Amino acid sequence: MRGTTAGEHPCCVTWYGAAGPAPPSQSGATTGNPDSEGRAPDELALVLAQAAVNAIESAGGFAGGVYLRSRTPGLLRLAVLGGLPGTLFRPWWRMHVNRPFPVAEAHRSGRPVLLADAEDAMRRFPQFMAGLPFSFGSLYVPLADGREKFGVLVVLRAATTGVPVDETDRRRMLQSGERLAAALAELCADGKAVEWEGEPVCVHLPSVTTPPVRIGNFEWDLADGAVVADDELCAILGISPAAFPGTIDALAARLDPEDAYGLWAVARHVAKSGAPVTRRMRLRGPDGRPHLLELSARARPPGGGPGGHLAGFLVDFGAGPVVAEATDRLPRAILSLDRVGRITYLNHSAEMLFGQARSHLTGRVLWEALPWFGHPAYEEHFRAALLSDEDVHFTARRSPGPEEWLSVSLYPGHDGLTATLAPADQPAYAPGSVTRPGTGLGSPADRASALYRPVALAIALTEAVTARQVSSVVTDELLPAFGGRQLAIYLLNERHLYLAWETGFPKGFLDRFDGVSLDTRLPGVETLTTGRPLFFESMEHLAAAYPGIPMDAHVGARAFLPLIASGRPVGSCILGFDQPRGFSPEERTVLTALAGLIAQALQRAQRYDTEAALARGLQDALLPHRLPVVEHVDTVARYLSGTQGMEVGGDWYDVVITGQGLALVVGDVQGHGVAAAATMGQLRSAVRAFALAGQDPQEVMHDTNRLLIDIDPGQFASCCYIVLDPASGAAQAVRAGHPQPLLRHSDGRTEVLDLAGGIVLGVDQHASYPVTELRLDPGAVLALFTDGLVEQPGIDIDLGIERLRATFSEIGSSSLAETADRLIREARQSADRPDDIALLLAARWAAPTRQVP
């Protein structure tokens, strides 16, 4: 299917519910939407849309959607958006899983995120609220089937200020997520790709507040006065068909006196003359709302004579639609929108104000029909009304012409917005005007809209850890905030600038600037050496200032920002724009301030990278470089670093030849970084020393626990220690809060051992560690590991251990090295590993013939 071009909006589909027909086809759609030839949406889109609608209704929400994984690793895309205009929420169509947003958190952790109100959201996800600073609640449930993660189900609803999300709504959300995950797993099993690459499908939710239109019919025989009414008319009147009196009194009693006289006058006229006549009047329903009553005369009965028939129908329009004849009398323009931004009604004053007929505007998306409403400041006001359910008032500027300035008020409801517009005087500021160089931004709303992404950038930079994460945050937040397309970050090292990050530039173009010295006359160098940002409104200005500087194919503007933190130079940042543009004083100030924040974040990242390299080197030095060789037993070890935080852990393994046998050790220090690595080294040395001193397993564990308490590093550790007699296969095992090891027998049967154990090391100096006796027969393989191999966020660790056991059993007679590689390869497939992994395998053989690891 084709992708949409610039200016197109995502497909908007009215959803008819589970029992209704499929949504009608729309044109101009992307993947998952109906295509331009009118074909129905594909199965994945329908499954997602139905699930989103059901979840929104069951959780009492006004909007929601589904984020789905994409072909880009670590990137979720908004696949379905229900109850909100897709265009207004374009910045949230893409979501990286490493970002501090509730969608990403739910996906990463595998646990639901339930935010009752804005205060709750601000406390936990300040960057999220920087972009959507409105009062609303939101619920997020991960979509996963076992180890396979599909995405996240989202529901937005009214804030429950000070009241946490109750257990009923939590259960309903979880059930909705489980049903959708199961449906997506079925699609996967059928060979369908469960991923999203296009724009979101926008779904119009079924109305819950507007009653349906009802029509009842009746016949009045004027000769005998009998009235025959159908069941629908009785229902509108609020009586049962059996209770209908069969006379006109049931209707006349609900008419105003003047209309009642009119009813009898029409009946008298028809009875006497038989002339055709049609009349309309208002009839009050049981709830006091007016209904339309229309009467029409029938011819005299065959054979003539007095009498005649009046046929009529009674229409109940419900409480929702605006009555056109009433609003057309108002001098103020009135406009109604549904929740996906389509114009559902406008009165005569609105037609005159916009200079367009109702027939032309009704059914169109507001920002397409009236493009001037698409200004970012006005979009922010519409987002506020749709999300917070509070009235919003602002001044807007139309295209130049009469009545250029308008006072706009937005009144939200569950099913949409009603807007009133009236001419207004030009305010002191200029909301919605185009910012020209040197003029600054317009209204406070304009400034807030233009600056909320820089605010989000500032918050995100405080959470970025590595230089790569900092650069990624700048790419995701700074470029969209100012309309940039290119970014380059250079870092200073020994008076030379080295390219650390680039995006948007032609391949290889920046290589010529990599490693330039600080005495080179280039804008990226001079902005750092002088400390002054440099702004060039066009490439011609840049070429004039720096004759002979290499140019790429772009003809836009450039901004060169110095990265200086605490008075120390860090590097320089280059922003590129596709078109020539000016830089207002406000923009220059903001960019300069943000450059300082970027520099501080990069400086922290450099210190962190230095510490991480030190910790990694320390860890490598403390882990054994080779394992001892003994007869009858082969050992193989593997170590795999985690991917979150980029810090080393405190996992370790060891194999020690003692007087009692071969000691197999695996341990895990709580925490990460240099401190964890240092504690790991102390514990490994202590266990080795106690083992070589001839202590039995219980004494080794007891003394190691006392040592950790005495040095008091503020950390605790788990450990599994097994002493094996290579000749007989007899073994003694002791465990301190560590995962149970696995044992694969010679016949392939694999079990999770049940070793008695004590609490983790470093907590209780009086803790005891019982010993378990076991035996390894020839051909048996023992697997010791740390919890990083079997633990995944949101998934019970017992499931992880069972998967490892099954894989260990399936490997069969492979060599010990191949077995270790296979177990580690299973773990390596997950790009989201919060912890390091240590694995130690020991195989006992009947003869001294060994396999080479």
Side-chain angles (χ1 to χ4, degrees), residues 500-729:
W501 179 273
E502 67 168 305
T503 183
F505 286 93
K507 184 177 181 180
F509 173 75
L510 296 179
D511 292 347
R512 70 198 76 188
F513 305 109
D514 194 15
V516 297
S517 65
L518 293 187
D519 57 5
T520 307
R521 189 173 186 274
L522 289 170
V525 174
E526 293 192 359
T527 190
L528 180 61
T529 56
T530 64
R532 293 185 298 104
L534 302 174
F535 298 95
F536 300 95
E537 298 184 355
S538 69
M539 299 304 285
E540 289 78 7
H541 290 174
L542 176 59
Y546 292 88
I549 186 174
M551 299 283 187
D552 61 3
H554 287 78
V555 295
R558 289 285 187 273
F560 296 85
L561 308 175
L563 302 180
I564 300 174
S566 302
R568 301 183 60 182
V570 176
S572 59
C573 176
I574 304 173
L575 298 179
F577 303 86
D578 285 345
Q579 301 295 329
R581 56 158 293 169
F583 296 92
S584 69
E586 288 88 349
E587 287 179 311
R588 294 174 186 239
T589 300
V590 170
L591 284 171
T592 303
L594 290 176
L597 294 177
I598 295 169
Q600 293 175 6
L602 287 170
Q603 191 177 59
R604 290 195 308 270
Q606 288 175 325
R607 289 197 299 266
Y608 175 83
D609 291 340
T610 300
E611 179 182 341
L614 174 62
R616 183 66 66 196
L618 177 61
Q619 183 186 51
D620 291 341
L622 294 173
L623 289 174
H625 291 172
R626 63 175 60 89
L627 301 181
V629 178
V630 297
E631 290 191 352
H632 299 289
V633 175
D634 287 332
T635 56
V636 167
R638 297 288 185 268
Y639 197 96
L640 183 63
S641 300
T643 59
Q644 286 188 9
M646 307 302 292
E647 291 185 346
V648 297
D651 298 21
W652 89 91
Y653 60 86
D654 206 355
V655 178
V656 186
I657 300 176
T658 73
Q660 295 183 331
L662 189 68
L664 308 171
V665 189
V666 165
D668 184 2
V669 177
Q670 169 262 339
H672 296 84
V674 173
T679 302
M680 177 269 284
Q682 292 174 304
L683 292 184
R684 182 192 171 223
S685 298
V687 171
R688 173 175 281 269
F690 295 144
L692 291 173
Q695 294 184 353
D696 62 35
Q698 188 176 38
E699 292 174 326
V700 169
M701 201 63 64
H702 178 270
D703 290 351
T704 304
N705 178 52
R706 290 293 300 270
L707 173 67
L708 185 57
I709 292 174
D710 289 344
I711 63 177
D712 190 21
Q715 295 166 311
F716 57 84
S718 67
C719 184
C720 185
Y721 179 90
I722 300 177
V723 177
L724 172 67
D725 181 357
S728 67

Side-chain angles (χ1 to χ4, degrees), residues 17 40 45 100 122 218 331 615 654 758 786 814:
M122 178 62 76
F218 69 93
D654 206 355
T786 55
S814 300

Side-chain angles (χ1 to χ4, degrees), residues 308-367:
H309 279 73
L310 277 176
F313 59 84
L314 183 64
V315 182
D316 175 10
F317 287 105
V322 179
V323 180
E325 65 185 64
T327 60
D328 279 343
R329 304 187 189 106
L330 299 177
R332 182 179 291 261
I334 296 177
L335 183 73
S336 289
L337 308 175
D338 62 21
R339 290 200 66 89
V340 294
R342 294 178 302 198
I343 299 173
T344 57
Y345 172 80
L346 66 158
N347 67 350
H348 178 69
S349 295
E351 285 185 293
M352 299 300 293
L353 181 64
F354 301 139
Q356 300 185 54
R358 296 182 197 181
S359 58
H360 179 69
L361 292 174
T362 303
R364 297 180 61 190
V365 175
L366 175 66
W367 301 276

Side-chain angles (χ1 to χ4, degrees), residues 345-410:
Y345 172 80
L346 66 158
N347 67 350
H348 178 69
S349 295
E351 285 185 293
M352 299 300 293
L353 181 64
F354 301 139
Q356 300 185 54
R358 296 182 197 181
S359 58
H360 179 69
L361 292 174
T362 303
R364 297 180 61 190
V365 175
L366 175 66
W367 301 276
E368 292 178 346
L370 305 172
W372 52 272
F373 259 131
H375 187 276
Y378 308 153
E379 290 183 348
E380 187 80 349
H381 291 306
F382 279 99
R383 279 194 289 267
L386 287 166
L387 292 180
S388 67
D389 201 30
E390 297 176 355
D391 298 347
V392 175
H393 310 277
F394 61 98
T395 304
R397 181 185 183 184
R398 297 193 300 156
S399 301
E403 298 178 344
E404 180 178 349
W405 295 94
L406 298 174
S407 172
V408 183
S409 296
L410 303 178

